[in-house]
Amino acid sequence: AQSVTQLDSHVSVSEGTPVLLRCNYSSSYSPSLFWYVQHPNKGLQLLLKYTSAATLVKGINGFEAEFKKSETSFHLTKPSAHMSDAAEYFCVVSARGFGNQFYFGTGTSLTVIP
Amino acid sequence: EAGVAQSPRYKIIEKRQSVAFWCNPISGHATLYWYQQILGQGPKLLIQFQNNGVVDDSQLPKDRFSAERLKGVDSTLKIQPAKLEDSAVYLCASSSLSGGYQETQYFGPGTRLLVL
């Protein structure tokens, strides 16, 4: 079975400080993992994805994530938060043989304090 | 390139009424998805099409929900009759190839439905 656990429902950081959004996954097969961002009243936008190549994945807007198989984690980081980063972030797992479905976490709301 | 288009953006109806949502995927994308996102939760897949055929509708409440993609391009999702618990954002997404597990899905802005 596939599932994703986002460990924090809400994260607050000060502008200019690092961001860490945590995600653990469960998958019976080698997964693909994605991070999407959702700004208010906007659609989901892909930040980055892991598909069994390099374990450190760089995405848009300075975000990156590291796939750690031993820890079944795919945490999202950014060195310095910007006000425009305030949004809802979703971790997603997908795996071959399970209808290629996306399984979403419940989301982490990021607040950036000026 | 143009993104995934959805309409309407907002809809308010009373319970037991019917409602329909429309989606136009990115040009050339063979696979189309409809998701339901209830407040405070992640999106949940309702149905997946590849061209005009259904790949997966296992989580679609078929007693009240229906969807079609007749010409393999745009799609309509219908709810009839609506219940209070159907209040949610309905997201449409598309992907370019066969909908494989490594493919990126591109999402539209969603339709926010409120059932009173």
Side-chain angles (χ1 to χ4, degrees):
Chain A
Q2 320 300 310
S3 67
V4 166
T5 301
Q6 291 185 243
L7 299 167
D8 306 293
S9 59
H10 189 87
V11 170
S12 292
V13 300
S14 296
E15 189 176 17
T17 65
V19 176
L20 170 63
L21 304 183
R22 299 182 295 164
C23 172
N24 285 102
Y25 70 91
S26 173
S27 177
S28 303
Y29 294 86
S30 294
S32 287
L33 292 156
F34 305 76
W35 276 100
Y36 279 83
V37 62
Q38 187 175 37
H39 291 275
N41 298 315
K42 297 287 182 66
L44 291 152
Q45 179 186 19
L46 179 71
L47 282 176
L48 49 81
K49 71 177 184 181
Y50 165 77
T51 58
S52 75
T55 56
L56 182 62
V57 181
K58 294 187 183 300
I60 63 171
N61 300 334
F63 285 95
E64 63 181 40
E66 186 171 9
F67 173 71
K68 293 186 176 180
K69 185 176 181 179
S70 61
E71 299 176 10
T72 62
S73 69
F74 191 58
H75 301 335
L76 182 70
T77 61
K78 183 174 180 177
S80 176
H82 191 273
M83 293 299 295
S84 61
D85 295 328
E88 189 84 14
Y89 291 79
F90 290 95
C91 183
V92 181
V93 65
S94 177
R96 189 198 309 271
F98 286 85
N100 303 322
Q101 276 195 41
F102 271 21
Y103 292 86
F104 282 80
T106 52
T108 298
S109 177
L110 176 65
T111 298
V112 182
I113 304 165
Chain B
E1 80 187 341
V4 177
Q6 291 188 247
S7 67
R9 293 295 309 275
Y10 305 92
K11 191 74 176 179
I12 301 174
I13 61 172
E14 296 188 349
K15 60 183 179 183
R16 292 187 289 274
Q17 286 187 325
S18 63
V19 65
F21 313 127
W22 174 83
C23 172
N24 191 23
I26 292 172
S27 178
H29 279 195
T31 308
L32 184 147
Y33 314 79
W34 282 103
Y35 289 85
Q36 180 191 57
Q37 184 178 15
I38 293 173
L39 188 64
Q41 299 180 19
K44 182 188 77 171
L45 180 70
L46 292 174
I47 188 167
Q48 176 181 347
F49 293 93
Q50 185 170 338
N51 297 310
N52 59 351
V54 175
V55 173
D56 184 353
D57 63 356
S58 58
Q59 299 186 82
L60 187 73
K62 298 180 185 64
D63 58 334
R64 297 183 301 105
F65 286 65
S66 64
E68 60 183 14
R69 193 184 184 199
L70 292 176
K71 297 182 179 179
V73 180
D74 56 353
S75 176
T76 303
L77 176 70
K78 297 179 181 177
I79 308 175
Q80 182 179 6
K83 293 185 175 181
L84 297 177
E85 58 262 35
D86 298 332
S87 294
V89 176
Y90 291 85
L91 296 166
C92 180
S94 67
S95 64
S96 60
L97 297 172
S98 62
Y101 77 107
Q102 295 186 336
E103 288 180 25
T104 298
Q105 294 182 24
Y106 297 87
F107 287 81
T111 296
R112 189 175 299 273
L113 173 67
L114 178 61
V115 182
L116 301 176

